[in-house]
Amino acid sequence: LRLISLNLPVILRLDLSQGPSLSLPGMLRLAALALLAPVALAALPPGNLIVAYAGNDACDSGRANYAAEKGANVLIWFSIFLKSVNGAPEVVNSPPFDCVAKIKAELEAEGLPTFHSICIGGWDAPHPNTTWSGAEWFDIFDAWNVEAGGGERLFDGIDWDLEGNDNPNSTYAKLPLETLHLMGEMSVAAKKAGYVVSLAPAQSYMDVTTTEFGYGLNYYPSQPWHQDDFPYAGRNNYCYLITIYGGVVFDFVSVQLYESYAPANYAVTQEGEDIASYLTDWAAALYKGYDVDYGHPVPYAGLAGSYSTCILRPDQLVIGIIANPEVTEKSVFISPGDIGAAWASMAAAEVPTPRGVMYWNAGMDGVKMEMAGPLNDVLHTRPQS
C-alpha cells in the first residue's frame, strides 16, 4: 500500500497484527477519499474552539451575539431535518435565515471571526429519510443552503446530532446501518465540497467503558444504575462513523457529557471521581482508542471482522457541557472552572488537551450562568481585555 508514502492524514490506527481491522478494499476506499481535494474549503478558527449551540431563542434575544462576543468562535444553529414532504425530499425546520445572516454580518463588523454551522437532528427529531442516498441529500442540502444565503452558503458546516426519542419504541429510537451509511456518505460529499463536518454524540454513543455496539438508542445505561427506568442510552453507535470516516471527514467531535445518566455522571456522582481527573483519564482513553465489537462483519464498511478501534485525535475532541448549574441528578454539571482544572490536570499528566469545549446552549449563556466568558479565560479564543 502507498498509504504511508502518500503522507495522508491518519484515517485509522491500523495495526493488522492485533486482529481484523479494515479489509484491503476498505483501506483503499478511504485512501482514495483522502486524496479528493475540497472546493472552496471552509476553515474553522485556528487554535482552540468554544462551540455554542444557538436556537431561535438565541437569535431573537441577542444571546448568540453575546456568546460570540464573550468567546464562542463556533455557533451551531439548531436545527434542520431531512424529510420526505409529499413524496419529495426537503430540508425543513430551519432557524430564521435573515436573523442568522444579520448576526453573521454584525460579528464580522465587530472583527469577531465566527464559524457558523447547521445542526441536523436533536432529541425527539426525525432522522433523515433513507429513500434518498447521502449523496443525493447533500445536493439537496447544498442547494437549500445557497438559497438560504441569497446566492452563497449561509452555513459553512454541518453538525450531526441524531439522537433518540422519548418513545423508546419509536422508529427514531435507533440508528440503523442505512442511516449511519447515509450520514457517512453525505459527510463525504460535504467534505469534498469544502464544508466542515462535525459530530455531537451523546456520551453513550461513544463510550470508552464498553466494547459493546448496537444500533439501538433505547438501551439501559452500560453502568449498573437505572436498569429499569431509563431505556434511552446508546451503545457506541457513532463509533461506526468514527472508525470508517473519522480521520478524514470529521473535523471535530463534541461528546455530550451532559447526557442523562451518562458514564461521566456515574463516575463523578456514584464513584466519587474528581471531575478534572475524570476528564484527563477519559480524554487519554479516547486518544489511545478502544475496541468496539460489532459482532459481525459490517456491510458498506469493508470491515474484515468484528472488532475495530474507535479513536479520536486531540485536535478532534471537544468536551460537551451544559450552561445550566441547575441541572437535575440526571446530568453531571461541569463548570468552566472544572475545565480549567482539567486542562491543568492534563498538562501535569502530559495528556494533550482537547480542541475545545462545546456547551448547550447560547440561549442560557449569561442567563443561567456565564459560560463563554469564563471558558475564554481558559481557551483564549478571543482577545481578553
Side-chain angles (χ1 to χ4, degrees), residues 20-367:
S21 182
L22 282 181
S23 66
L24 181 60
M27 291 163 62
L28 290 175
R29 184 171 65 251
L30 290 182
L33 168 62
L35 291 173
L36 293 171
V39 178
L41 180 66
L44 287 167
N48 293 329
L49 303 179
I50 297 177
V51 181
Y53 279 87
N56 290 353
D57 58 339
C59 199
D60 299 334
S61 66
R63 305 320 297 177
N65 298 67
Y66 182 87
E69 290 162 359
K70 290 292 185 177
N73 55 357
V74 177
L75 291 176
I76 299 181
W77 293 92
F78 194 81
S79 69
I80 58 172
F81 311 145
L82 309 179
K83 295 184 65 176
S84 174
V85 179
N86 297 322
E90 285 192 23
V91 178
V92 300
N93 195 58
S94 64
F97 302 149
D98 55 347
C99 185
V100 175
K102 175 176 176 288
I103 289 174
K104 286 181 67 174
E106 289 171 349
L107 294 176
E108 289 173 7
E110 292 181 55
L112 295 172
T114 306
F115 190 88
H116 297 265
S117 191
I118 184 70
C119 170
I120 302 174
W123 184 260
D124 264 348
H127 295 177
N129 188 299
T130 56
T131 302
W132 297 273
S133 70
E136 289 170 325
W137 269 120
F138 171 72
D139 289 340
I140 294 160
F141 162 79
D142 191 45
W144 169 88
N145 192 26
V146 171
E147 182 179 357
E152 60 183 31
R153 292 173 177 174
L154 183 61
F155 305 101
D156 289 318
I158 62 172
D159 177 74
W160 290 105
D161 184 27
L162 300 190
E163 299 183 23
N165 195 276
D166 282 341
N167 177 6
N169 297 313
S170 167
T171 300
Y172 305 123
K174 59 184 176 180
L175 278 178
L177 191 60
E178 292 77 14
T179 302
L180 291 168
H181 183 52
L182 182 153
M183 294 168 70
E185 189 179 50
M186 182 170 169
S187 298
V188 169
K191 193 68 176 176
K192 286 165 57 180
Y195 282 87
V196 164
V197 185
S198 58
L199 299 174
Q203 192 184 12
S204 67
Y205 303 179
M206 190 180 297
D207 181 3
V208 301
T209 69
T210 179
T211 63
E212 294 179 6
F213 171 83
Y215 297 114
L217 303 174
N218 54 0
Y219 301 110
Y220 292 103
S222 58
Q223 285 67 40
W225 67 340
H226 296 281
Q227 295 299 304
D228 58 358
D229 64 356
F230 192 77
Y232 301 110
R235 279 296 186 279
N236 281 314
N237 315 72
Y238 275 57
C239 279
Y240 172 90
L241 297 166
I242 292 298
T243 299
I244 306 306
Y245 306 99
V248 178
V249 174
F250 301 114
D251 296 272
F252 65 92
V253 180
S254 304
V255 183
Q256 300 178 35
L257 299 186
Y258 53 89
E259 175 193 17
S260 294
Y261 303 119
N265 191 3
Y266 185 83
V268 171
T269 65
Q270 304 302 305
E271 298 184 324
E273 289 198 42
D274 171 74
I275 290 177
S277 298
Y278 173 81
L279 293 176
T280 300
D281 294 340
W282 170 73
L286 282 171
Y287 302 156
K288 180 181 179 182
Y290 63 103
D291 285 339
V292 174
D293 184 4
Y294 290 97
H296 53 82
V298 179
Y300 303 125
L303 288 173
S306 63
Y307 277 91
S308 197
T309 301
C310 191
I311 185 171
L312 293 180
R313 301 187 309 268
D315 68 294
Q316 286 179 300
L317 177 60
V318 171
I319 296 175
I321 62 178
I322 190 166
N324 184 3
E326 301 170 2
V327 292
T328 68
E329 74 282 353
K330 289 183 178 181
S331 300
V332 65
F333 176 67
I334 299 173
S335 71
D338 292 323
I339 295 297
W343 257 236
S345 172
M346 291 178 198
E350 298 184 342
V351 172
T353 52
R355 182 71 184 272
V357 175
M358 173 274 282
Y359 67 94
W360 177 268
N361 63 34
M364 294 190 285
D365 196 354
V367 179

